Amino acid sequence: MADRKALLGPDVRKLQPRLRMVANGSTEVNAIRSEQSAALSVDPQRQADYEALPTIALAPPVARQDLPKNVVRGELDSITPDIFVNVFVETVAAGEGRVEISGETARKRELVTATMSLAELRPTAEKPEVAWIEAGESLATPRPRVESATPAAPKTARRVAGAERHHGGAGVLFGVIDVAGFDFAHPDFLDPAGTTRFVRIWDQGGTSRPNPHERDAARYDAEFDYGSEIRADEMNAAIAAAAAQHLPATELEPQSQMETGSHGTHVTSIAAGNYGVAPQARIAAVLISLPDEDLERRRSFYDSTRIAHAVDYLFALGDELGLPVSINISLGTNGHAHDGSAPVSRWIDAALSVPGRCVTVAAGNAGQERGEAPDDVGFIMGRIHTSGRIPARDLDAVVEWVVVGNGIVDVSENEFEIWYGPQDRLAVSLRPPSGTWIGPVEPGEFIENQRLRDGSMISIYNELYHPANGANYIGCYLSPFFSRAGIVGIPAGTWQVRLHAREVRNGQYHGWIERDDPRRLGRIGPREAWSFPSFFSQASNVDNTSISSLACGVGVVAVANLDEPKERINISSSQGPTRDGRSKPDVAAPGTDIVAAKGFAGPTDLWVGMTGTSMASPYCAGVAALMLATQPKLTAAQIEGIIQRTSRPLPGGDFAWVNDAGFGRIDAAACVAEAASVNNRRDRTP
């Protein structure tokens, strides 16, 4: 099986299947799709041409009787230059010199990030120095549970013993990559003089100030030529003028997102607020652009290439200031192989090769597999992983994949990725809820943009030897049908994915659902339109290995959510290990009902209690900042090792790694003491 007209040419196999599917879609389809796809954006010069297209919320449904009976894949005459995509390009050594990549924004060893039109994919793939092109992965919107909306201030600060060594993180830059805005004027971030402890905020979706490249082209390369950079003197000027202007300082120096109770503000407060773990650290933040409005999403990128740029920016700022850097990322993805081979993970690992750097990542909130009460639907966000072992050839395994119905029409794109060892060969078939089996699609074959009789679209790819890890990969995509006439959502019910064993030497497979977070979009006729996550049935879900793929990076510290009063891991905390069997998460930190700064809520509404691994990860990042204050030359590997070594078992456990708690609860004071001992041993070395 293959597509009938391959516009992308003979080098199509160098493109990630998702890129092929998108590139072989019409311009109108991709303009609407860009509302849902983080890595797609409409050409800024042509935005007005596509704003007349219906948003998902307003489009009426296409009646079934209007659909053609012949449901084959359509053919395109050309690939549009008006839709841009963020990609990672993997290059290979090809003699001397540097391979030029269209739209290049940054480079890290063999990896390049680029923003290029869909029409530029083919000539890029044809370069002999290019091994693989992969779209940036969508970033899941963090959705911690709000436990208490208006609590009192924290009863005690998160102070850690050993202040004579770590000095509250003085001499360290705490970096945070997050969403929803940073309330730099909140009292938790003001020093005794009333000025902010924020050094910089790079607002990737901002327009109010010059971007970092415009500010200092000699120091900040082309990867930093978008958004706006707000500096400390500008923030402090706004704070000084706020009273006279009768406006909040953040209104005088605005960001593109300033949500009440913002996630980014809360996370920063835990790690480095005045009540936080490292209250003397300097603070720098990167605000990932994640607009709420559909038309704004058509213009925006909010994918994993932006995480790569944010990490580089914060480490470059640390170099400029002469400070070690501890970064927290409480964002995540479900896509890719969960083995550290995703491009953004390799990018971060390369950046961590320099001493004095650490990156901490939230494990994710996909740990719940069933409801704890009749009205508890938290399991919907938890059932993202399946796995199994097919014992012999000619046997099958069936996975049940649920798309929500019950008055809701799903107009988001859903992706199910299956990864298995290179020594095996699996074919795949797909059956819609009320249809017949499609396939089997054999290894090396694919079906692309096939329209079903109900009007929705499917694509299936069966790939061998992924260039990042050598593993085999199956991708199943369920897509709404987009057009000027309207939208057909994905049929609700249980889809079945059947794996046919053609050759078995190991038989193990893992699968994850990469999907959008729940977001109400309006009505389509009598039904509610949602971007809604699909999930595995209870029979197919496997609770372990649900950890975010971003937290599977080799060099990052992955953090689980400890319910400290109950001395157990919170039910929502994602579990390990990684697909390749590594011990992630590394550690558990307090993440349940954590009271910290409430951003953009006014002077009398300063605190909020939240629950999630988003709250646990910055606690660990704050501890890493104290360790770097004690020993600035610690490597990321040493910090990870010390955290693992000093962690304490939960009640009833031992020192062995476990899939929900890692090596146990973090012991902040012991981490600092051990960091100091590493420094002492180095001093005694001849």
Side-chain angles (χ1 to χ4, degrees):
M1 296 181 182
D3 62 344
R4 285 175 163 74
K5 187 176 182 182
L7 293 177
L8 295 173
D11 290 298
V12 65
R13 298 291 180 179
K14 289 185 178 181
L15 296 177
Q16 175 196 35
R18 187 190 310 160
L19 278 178
R20 293 182 230 165
M21 180 183 71
V22 169
N24 279 327
S26 72
T27 302
E28 291 181 358
V29 166
N30 284 324
I32 301 173
R33 175 183 267 142
S34 63
E35 297 173 15
Q36 303 289 316
S37 179
L40 286 183
S41 178
V42 176
D43 182 353
Q45 304 302 316
R46 299 291 305 278
Q47 287 171 1
D49 298 340
Y50 298 110
E51 288 187 359
L53 289 172
T55 63
I56 288 173
L58 301 178
V62 177
R64 289 191 180 209
Q65 59 266 29
D66 295 334
L67 299 174
K69 294 181 180 179
N70 184 20
V71 287
V72 299
R73 175 194 181 280
E75 296 183 355
L76 300 177
D77 295 325
S78 63
I79 297 175
T80 176
D82 296 342
I83 305 297
F84 280 74
V85 61
N86 270 350
V87 294
F88 288 96
V89 181
E90 183 161 357
T91 61
V92 295
E96 299 297 326
R98 172 189 177 101
V99 56
E100 295 299 322
I101 301 298
S102 176
E104 177 178 335
T105 51
R107 186 175 293 249
K108 187 81 68 184
R109 296 179 181 171
E110 76 281 3
L111 286 173
V112 174
T113 59
T115 302
M116 64 180 66
S117 75
L118 296 181
E120 293 172 305
L121 288 170
R122 175 176 176 174
T124 303
E126 288 175 345
K127 293 178 179 288
E129 305 91 347
V130 170
W132 180 251
I133 306 175
E134 186 165 329
E137 294 179 68
S138 294
L139 300 175
T141 306
R143 297 185 183 275
R145 188 170 67 245
V146 176
E147 303 286 359
S148 43
T150 56
K155 293 180 181 179
T156 58
R158 299 177 182 88
R159 297 295 183 257
V160 175
E164 70 281 0
R165 296 189 182 106
H166 61 65
H167 303 290
V172 174
L173 180 67
F174 169 70
V176 56
I177 302 169
D178 220 297
V179 296
F182 302 96
D183 190 347
F184 59 82
H186 192 286
D188 205 34
F189 305 123
L190 300 181
D191 62 21
T195 57
T196 186
R197 291 175 44 231
F198 276 82
V199 178
R200 307 270 174 88
I201 297 175
W202 179 22
D203 180 358
Q204 291 187 342
T207 58
S208 63
R209 293 287 182 181
N211 61 54
H213 181 67
E214 292 172 323
R215 295 272 201 182
D216 191 348
R219 188 177 298 276
Y220 295 105
D221 296 329
E223 64 190 291
F224 310 125
D225 68 352
Y226 58 94
S228 61
E229 183 185 58
I230 307 171
R231 297 197 167 186
D233 58 339
E234 293 156 349
M235 292 183 249
N236 286 324
I239 292 170
Q245 296 291 330
H246 303 290
L247 287 171
T250 50
E251 293 288 344
L252 299 175
E253 193 62 64
Q255 299 156 56
S256 60
Q257 303 164 57
M258 296 190 295
E259 295 182 12
T260 300
S262 77
H263 190 270
T265 299
H266 195 267
V267 163
T268 307
S269 172
I270 294 168
N274 294 331
Y275 281 88
V277 179
Q280 299 302 316
R282 303 177 79 178
I283 303 170
V286 179
L287 180 57
I288 301 294
S289 178
L290 189 60
D292 290 328
E293 297 297 324
D294 294 328
L295 291 179
E296 287 299 319
R297 285 183 178 233
R298 289 185 186 179
R299 305 182 182 103
S300 299
F301 289 116
Y302 46 98
D303 61 276
S304 55
T305 65
R306 296 317 207 200
I307 292 284
H309 296 172
V311 167
D312 281 1
Y313 170 82
L314 292 170
F315 285 147
L317 179 57
D319 291 342
E320 177 185 342
L321 299 175
L323 301 176
V325 182
S326 173
I327 295 175
N328 181 77
I329 308 175
S330 286
L331 305 170
T333 62
N334 290 331
H336 221 275
H338 291 70
D339 60 3
S341 65
V344 67
S345 294
R346 292 160 56 204
W347 191 284
I348 294 172
D349 285 342
L352 289 173
S353 62
V354 177
R357 296 177 174 182
C358 179
V359 173
T360 303
V361 179
N365 301 316
Q368 186 173 349
E369 60 179 326
R370 61 179 60 87
E372 293 191 301
D375 61 346
D376 181 6
V377 293
F379 68 87
I380 289 177
M381 301 306 296
R383 293 182 186 169
I384 64 162
H385 171 249
T386 190
S387 64
R389 186 182 298 274
I390 304 176
R393 65 177 300 165
D394 297 328
L395 298 179
D396 295 344
V398 176
V399 178
E400 296 177 337
W401 183 12
V402 181
V403 173
V404 172
N406 192 26
I408 294 174
V409 55
D410 186 2
V411 293
S412 62
E413 293 194 287
N414 291 274
E415 176 185 353
F416 174 20
E417 296 185 359
I418 301 163
W419 294 82
Y420 66 101
Q423 64 271 49
D424 294 333
R425 293 293 181 269
L426 302 179
V428 59
S429 299
L430 178 68
R431 182 163 69 180
S434 58
T436 58
W437 286 103
I438 301 166
V441 179
E442 301 293 337
E445 295 183 345
F446 63 95
I447 297 172
E448 187 172 273
N449 291 337
Q450 179 171 318
R451 196 171 179 186
L452 304 182
R453 293 194 180 276
D454 60 41
S456 63
M457 311 287 287
I458 67 161
S459 297
I460 305 171
Y461 301 86
N462 196 342
E463 305 280 305
L464 300 176
Y465 306 123
H466 192 284
N469 57 16
N472 297 334
Y473 158 86
I474 294 171
C476 300
Y477 298 83
L478 310 180
S479 302
F481 176 73
F482 301 123
S483 73
R484 286 186 182 272
I487 294 171
V488 177
I490 298 170
T494 300
W495 293 67
Q496 291 182 302
V497 178
R498 173 169 285 166
L499 303 177
H500 311 269
R502 301 300 193 227
E503 184 175 352
V504 173
R505 297 181 182 177
N506 176 273
Q508 180 72 47
Y509 65 88
H510 287 267
W512 291 270
I513 297 173
E514 177 66 270
R515 75 280 176 92
D516 296 303
D517 291 301
R519 186 164 63 101
R520 185 182 182 277
L521 302 172
R523 299 191 71 83
I524 295 181
R527 305 178 71 190
E528 292 279 356
W530 280 74
S531 167
F532 205 86
S534 56
F535 55 94
F536 293 123
S537 70
Q538 186 171 350
S540 294
N541 183 70
V542 176
D543 206 25
N544 62 24
T545 317
S546 57
I547 187 170
S548 159
S549 61
L550 190 63
C552 292
V554 174
V556 304
V557 179
V559 188
N561 174 3
L562 171 66
D563 186 339
E564 196 168 30
K566 296 180 180 178
E567 296 188 286
R568 69 183 188 189
I569 299 301
N570 190 285
I571 190 174
S572 65
S573 188
S574 294
Q575 301 174 16
T578 63
R579 188 184 69 87
D580 55 335
R582 287 179 295 110
S583 299
K584 298 287 181 180
D586 295 279
V587 71
T592 301
D593 196 8
I594 304 300
V595 175
K598 185 176 185 178
F600 310 108
T604 61
D605 189 8
L606 295 175
W607 309 99
V608 62
M610 295 185 184
T611 291
T613 57
S614 287
M615 287 63 253
S617 184
Y619 184 97
C620 186
V623 173
L626 301 184
M627 295 166 69
L628 287 168
T630 303
Q631 167 48 286
K633 295 298 184 182
L634 286 174
T635 66
Q638 287 176 314
I639 292 170
E640 182 182 26
I642 290 171
I643 289 172
Q644 292 177 353
R645 154 72 181 172
T646 56
S647 62
R648 308 298 301 173
L650 297 180
D654 56 26
F655 288 99
W657 180 87
V658 290
N659 63 6
D660 60 350
F663 287 96
R665 75 176 80 190
I666 192 167
D667 186 332
C671 286
V672 171
E674 193 74 4
S677 72
V678 172
N679 185 30
N680 290 337
R681 283 197 294 270
R682 286 187 173 185
D683 290 345
R684 291 196 299 268
T685 301

